[in-house]
Amino acid sequence: PYRVDIQTINYLSFHAPSRFEARTHAKNGGKVYQYLFTEEINDGYINSETGEYQGYGSFHGAELPFLFGNISDNMPLSCTIEEANELSKTMQKMWVNFALTGNPSTSSIPWSPYTLQDDKVMIINAKGCAQENDPLRENIDLMGDVYWAKLRA
């Protein structure tokens, strides 16, 4: 239940507004580069009712140690330290390229702007980076519809 609550808060507080802004900006002719960081951080807690470990997964801000190269051996990573450092270097290249050129693509990872037609986001994790259909789209759109309906009521 706790992880479901955190996911709901993430959807409503971060993913839904981000998706809304990306769609609005793209609809009005702007270039948008949307990403979803999915590398899980194995930090969490022991559920007092079940005694089971429950990790937080990937959450808002989880990408920051990777982006700024602050990876350490004592981080609760779901990948090896070598994979984490490689991901960190890749992300830094993407962000620098975006700052310099307005396009985060690297020589090995093409990143096309977000469009309403294909609705793709860059999935970023230690297994690799690739643009895919937004895996959260249906949940975000459903929650957004419920949220906006409540506000209008």
Side-chain angles (χ1 to χ4, degrees):
Y2 182 75
R3 188 163 178 169
V4 171
D5 291 344
I6 288 201
Q7 286 175 343
T8 301
I9 290 167
N10 274 331
Y11 287 158
L12 291 176
S13 300
F14 303 109
H15 297 299
S18 173
R19 182 169 162 73
F20 174 78
E21 290 296 327
R23 294 180 65 75
T24 301
H25 197 61
K27 183 178 174 181
N28 290 296
K31 272 193 179 178
V32 177
Y33 293 91
Q34 186 93 350
Y35 75 92
L36 181 62
F37 185 79
T38 60
E39 189 61 39
E40 294 199 2
I41 306 299
N42 287 330
D43 202 3
Y45 65 99
I46 302 296
N47 184 313
S48 60
E49 293 176 12
T50 65
E52 294 178 5
Y53 174 81
Q54 294 186 312
Y56 294 128
S58 186
F59 49 86
H60 178 71
E63 74 275 24
L64 295 178
F66 293 84
L67 182 57
F68 293 110
N70 291 332
I71 308 297
S72 66
D73 290 334
N74 62 353
M75 283 181 69
L77 300 169
S78 57
C79 60
T80 68
I81 190 73
E82 292 81 13
E83 291 170 327
N85 284 320
E86 191 60 37
L87 176 58
S88 179
K89 289 176 191 171
T90 298
M91 289 177 66
Q92 289 172 355
K93 285 179 193 170
M94 291 172 161
W95 265 249
V96 167
N97 286 350
F98 182 73
L100 292 174
T101 69
N103 184 329
S105 295
T106 69
S107 58
S108 60
I109 303 170
W111 190 341
S112 302
Y114 174 88
T115 67
L116 298 175
Q117 293 76 29
D118 66 16
D119 203 21
K120 292 187 184 290
V121 299
M122 179 64 72
I123 305 298
I124 298 177
N125 61 52
K127 292 177 182 62
C129 301
Q131 277 189 289
E132 300 176 8
N133 290 326
D134 187 347
L136 303 177
R137 177 181 53 215
E138 289 179 18
N139 289 347
I140 293 169
D141 288 349
L142 174 63
M143 293 180 119
D145 291 344
V146 170
Y147 176 75
W148 290 113
K150 285 266 192 203
L151 283 179
R152 291 184 191 117

